[in-house]
Structure formats: structure tokens, C-alpha cells
Amino acid sequence: MPDQSTPLLGYLTSTSPAPLQASSPGTPTLGRINLAVTDDRQDVYCDRIQIAVPADDHAGGAYFTEQPNFSTSSGQWTVASLVQVTGEELGLAQSGQFYRATFRSVDEEYDLIGDTLDFGLSGPLSISTGPLAYYIQEHSGTTSDRDDYTKKSRVLTLTVTEPVFYLHSFLARGEAGATAPRTKFTGGSPVYLTWESNGTYFRLYDGDGDLVQEGPETYCSIGYDVITMDTTFTLVASMSPETEGNGSGFEPIYQYATLTVTITDPTLEGLTVREDITARSGLDVSGRISADGDVSIAGDVTVRSRLDVEETLSALGDLTVSGYTTARGRLDVSGDLTVDSSLTVGSSLTANSELTVNGDLTANGYVSAVGDDTHVRIRELRGPYGEKISINSSVDVLSDNDFTIREGLSVDKDIKRGGSGVLADGDEIGLNNTYYEGWLYATMFVNDNRRTTAVWDPGDRVVESSWRVSRD
């Protein structure tokens, strides 16, 4: 049989801080000790493990000034008891007080140690340095019969050093009770910041260098609608707060930590893009957008200020701009295009849906609005200053709609009405009498060179002469 005083299980400790640090006068240091329990043999059974740490300085080393908080990571084990005992009750020759926790398996079926068990304790350390005794006693055996279990003890010695100014574990969470750290948040959601330090005074700054919080607290709760874009926080810790009139040029010592919080839907004051920009969903900008390259957006675009694009802007959804819109290249919009102020396009403008401009519309290039159900409504159509306006397609004026020309109309070809040509000044015509089925023509000179009219029978038109209609 194995030595009854030798534990069957393996034990490995980790601490925070590492190594453990003694408290400073007026500034307690929270020491954490985690114990990993492993099965170093085959089929080790254990139903009880006790852990004890010093509660005073009788052992001649470091100790905890308050009862630590004991915990376990396994739902198959529980903290059965927490008591303060003497050294004699632990079977030690020395006197003194100890904090002891007893961990038990919740059922006999969990006595077989398989996966690693983790036990923890945390509490304020004394100002004493030196060794810290960590007592372990297991009740274990190599069979599942609890009657065969025996007590086996081991003492681990941890070192507690002089306090060293530290600042670490600067983390962000969604709320005070959350355990998982995170760095991504939606715009305007609350952020809970925490850190670990033995400093006494802290200042927290945002990315603009504005002071968010100062004081002795090691946490900061930032409420709704505060963080709306990516922000890097800077934490400054000191052992003593600065006061007015520090004598003899005293300069505090600082520790610094930074933490960047990323906002998945940021609100930007300005956006300048030198190359292509692609947004696969909606893009909502309250300020100005300036892009020297192409802009391609798969979703809707809403700009509450000015939109300025050096090259091509392509929006597969709707484009709504509350301010001025300038596209020195092409402007392609698959959805509705709404501009509340002036719209200037240096090259082509394509809108596959509605185009609404509440201000001026200037296109120095090609404008295309083509589609079966596409309409362009214009209150007044004018050509360039000093130049004519040209239309290179047929123009249909629908029924019940008048077409009015205030001044002269010049037509190079025939003007038709109902499929037939319309008479105009200078036209030569032939007059046909439908009753006699003949043409009106001129006869010989009679009566002092006056001409008389006659109807030629059987009605063949006289081709040598014709009648012309002219205005008086």
C-alpha cells in the first residue's frame, strides 16, 4: 500500500499577483490562490479535501487579515464548511489561528477524480512578508469504498514579497455582474471598466484626453449614449493623489494602462476615404463624407450633411443626402436618389429609381434615367447659357396634354397633324373639287389680264400651274 501520509493527488498553485505581495499600510492587497488538483495515479478516489491558511503571525510569516473567500470551479464539489481553527486542530505542533475550508464531493459517484479540479481562495494579505503556509489534507483511497479512505497531508509554501506598485487586468464588460470581458459594443450601450492595482488614486481619460473619472475606485461605469465610436481609454494610477502645493518638488509615480473599445456601428463626425469604400449594409452619416476614390455601397446611404466624391459613387440601395452632393465622376444609384440641396455630377448620373433634388441639379456629363417605369419630371427645361437645347429622340405629347410654344417654332422638316402635313407660309398646294372630281386651275388671259378659274374635266390636275396659299 502507498504511504498513508503521502497524498495520492497532485497539486499545483497559481497566484495573483505573482508572486503574492504584502499589503501596504492603509492599502490592502488582495491575494488570490488557485489550486489545481490532478489525478497523478490511476483510479484515485477522494471525497474530501481541506485547505487551511494562517490567520495570524504565529507561524512567523505572512497571513490573511480576514477570512478568505473559498470557491470551486466544479459543480460536483462544494464548500461544505468554513471555520477558524487552531494549529493543534490541524495536527500542527505550533499554535496560532488558521482559516480552513472543507470541500466535499456532492455524491459518492463523483469521488473518482478524473478531470482537473480547481479550488480558489482570495482575501486581504497582511503587511508581513515571507513564507505563507498553505495546508492541504485529502481523504482518499484507491478503491471506491469510502471506508478504505485515509487522511493524507501536504504543506505548500508560497512566498509573499514586499509590495510593488502594480496596475494590470484593465478590462471592459457589459455590466457590473458580467464575467466575460469584451471589447466590442454597439453605439451608445453601457460599458463597465475594471482594473486591479494597489494604487490609491486613479484617473481615467477617453480618447480625446477628457477626464472620465478620478478617485480611489478600481472600476468605472459608463452609461448609455456616451461611447458612440471607437475609443481608447487611458488609465493613470498613482500611490498618492496630487494635491495643491506639493512641497519640495514632490513628483508622484504613475502606472499607465490603455484599453480600446470598438463600436460596431460608430457615429462619425467626419469620414475621409482616399481609396475605395464598400459598405454592404446601410450607411448612416450625420456629418460630411469626402472620398478621393470610388465609393461602393451595397445598402442604403443616408448623409445628413454634405457628400463629396472625387470619382465614382455607386449605391445599390437608396441614397439620401440632406446637404450638397458633388460627384466629380459617375453617380450610380440603384434605388431612390434624394438630395435636399444642390446636386452636381461631373460625369454620368444613373438613377434606376426615383431622382428627387430639392435644390439645383447640375450635370456636366451624361445623365441617364432609363427604364420601363422611369419618369423625369421637370418644371422648366432650358439649354446651356447661349446654346441651343437638342433632343435626338422622338417626343410624344400624351393625350389631354397641351404643347404650348410662347415664341417662334422653327422646323426643318414637315409638321404633321393626324398623319398629314400642316400648311405653312410658302407652301404650294393644289385645290381639288370633290363634287366635280377635278382640280382648280387657271385659264387664258382675259378681261385686262385677269385670270378666271375653271374646272378641268375629267379632273386631271394641271401640272404647269399651281396655287399658293400665303398670309395677308
Side-chain angles (χ1 to χ4, degrees):
M1 293 181 62
D3 185 350
Q4 297 300 301
S5 63
T6 302
L8 300 178
L9 298 170
Y11 298 95
L12 179 65
T13 60
S14 57
T15 67
S16 177
L20 294 171
Q21 295 183 21
S23 297
S24 301
T27 306
T29 296
L30 185 69
R32 295 204 304 268
I33 305 173
N34 285 350
L35 180 69
V37 181
T38 60
D39 183 1
D40 292 341
R41 302 168 179 259
Q42 291 293 328
D43 297 338
V44 174
Y45 296 83
C46 179
D47 68 342
R48 184 175 72 246
I49 295 177
Q50 291 183 333
I51 298 174
V53 291
D56 56 31
D57 59 356
H58 279 80
Y63 60 92
F64 285 89
T65 59
E66 297 177 9
Q67 179 174 282
N69 177 47
F70 289 87
S71 60
T72 175
S73 65
S74 174
Q76 300 174 359
W77 284 69
T78 185
V79 182
S81 65
L82 272 174
V83 295
Q84 188 168 340
V85 299
T86 63
E88 289 81 359
E89 292 177 273
L90 291 178
L92 303 176
Q94 68 213 48
S95 60
Q97 297 293 315
F98 295 83
Y99 297 113
R100 186 183 70 186
T102 300
F103 297 90
R104 290 184 180 273
S105 63
V106 298
D107 193 271
E108 191 171 346
E109 65 175 306
Y110 301 124
D111 287 2
L112 180 61
I113 305 299
D115 297 332
T116 300
L117 293 175
D118 292 295
F119 301 135
L121 68 86
S122 63
L125 289 166
S126 65
I127 62 174
S128 301
T129 61
L132 175 70
Y134 187 92
Y135 296 91
I136 304 171
Q137 185 184 84
E138 68 180 50
H139 188 239
S140 63
T142 56
T143 69
S144 60
D145 188 355
R146 286 186 172 182
D147 293 336
D148 293 336
Y149 294 178
T150 59
K151 296 179 181 179
K152 306 168 184 66
S153 301
R154 181 176 180 182
V155 180
L156 301 178
T157 301
L158 305 177
T159 301
V160 178
T161 65
E162 293 283 351
V164 177
F165 183 24
Y166 66 89
L167 172 63
H168 56 68
S169 300
F170 188 20
L171 301 174
R173 296 177 175 85
E175 55 187 10
T179 58
R182 54 187 292 195
T183 57
K184 287 185 178 180
F185 297 84
T186 57
S189 60
V191 178
Y192 188 74
L193 303 174
T194 61
W195 55 91
E196 294 183 3
S197 176
N198 58 352
T200 60
Y201 204 78
F202 306 94
R203 285 183 173 86
L204 181 67
Y205 297 90
D206 63 13
D208 294 325
D210 295 330
L211 184 64
V212 178
Q213 176 179 289
E214 64 176 329
E217 295 80 11
T218 56
Y219 63 89
C220 178
S221 181
I222 301 176
Y224 287 93
D225 299 327
V226 175
I227 305 177
T228 58
M229 59 186 300
D230 295 353
T231 303
T232 298
F233 291 96
T234 300
L235 179 63
V236 183
S238 64
M239 294 293 290
S240 57
E242 305 95 315
T243 59
E244 292 291 338
N246 286 327
S248 303
F250 174 76
E251 296 183 6
I253 295 175
Y254 299 103
Q255 292 276 7
Y256 298 90
T258 59
L259 175 65
T260 299
V261 173
T262 301
I263 302 301
T264 56
D265 54 343
T267 300
L268 304 177
E269 297 179 358
L271 177 62
T272 300
V273 182
R274 300 295 181 188
E275 299 294 338
D276 295 350
I277 179 172
T278 300
R280 303 191 182 280
S281 184
L283 178 62
D284 192 337
V285 182
S286 298
R288 175 179 176 178
I289 294 181
S290 177
D292 291 341
D294 294 342
V295 178
S296 177
I297 301 171
D300 297 340
V301 183
T302 300
V303 181
R304 295 187 176 88
S305 184
R306 181 173 177 177
L307 175 62
D308 194 347
V309 182
E310 290 290 339
E311 296 185 15
T312 301
L313 170 61
S314 177
L316 300 182
D318 296 340
L319 173 60
T320 302
V321 183
S322 299
Y324 294 98
T325 302
T326 302
R328 294 176 177 84
R330 291 179 52 189
L331 176 59
D332 297 327
V333 182
S334 297
D336 294 344
L337 171 59
T338 302
V339 180
D340 291 337
S341 188
S342 297
L343 171 62
T344 301
V345 181
S347 183
S348 63
L349 167 62
T350 302
N352 294 329
S353 186
E354 293 186 3
L355 169 62
T356 302
V357 181
N358 295 324
D360 296 336
L361 171 60
T362 302
N364 295 322
Y366 178 70
V367 177
S368 175
V370 180
D372 294 338
D373 296 326
T374 300
H375 300 85
V376 178
R377 295 185 180 274
I378 302 174
R379 183 176 181 86
E380 185 172 312
L381 181 63
R382 296 185 181 185
Y385 291 103
E387 299 182 21
K388 296 180 180 180
I389 184 171
S390 299
I391 301 175
N392 64 354
S393 298
S394 298
V395 177
D396 292 333
V397 180
L398 303 180
S399 60
D400 299 328
N401 290 277
D402 296 334
F403 185 77
T404 302
I405 298 177
R406 300 296 182 186
E407 298 294 338
L409 173 64
S410 177
V411 181
D412 291 338
K413 294 184 177 181
D414 193 11
I415 298 177
K416 292 185 177 182
R417 177 177 178 269
S420 301
V422 178
L423 290 177
D425 184 21
D427 289 345
E428 293 183 352
I429 63 172
L431 299 178
N432 178 264
N433 190 305
T434 58
Y435 182 82
Y436 290 103
E437 296 182 355
W439 293 92
L440 181 68
Y441 71 97
T443 60
M444 298 295 292
F445 288 96
V446 294
N447 300 330
D448 298 328
N449 292 330
R450 289 184 179 272
R451 296 190 181 202
T452 61
T453 60
V455 176
W456 183 267
D457 187 21
D460 292 334
R461 182 177 179 180
V462 179
V463 297
E464 291 81 3
S465 178
S466 62
W467 295 85
R468 184 175 70 182
V469 178
S470 61
R471 292 176 178 166
D472 294 335

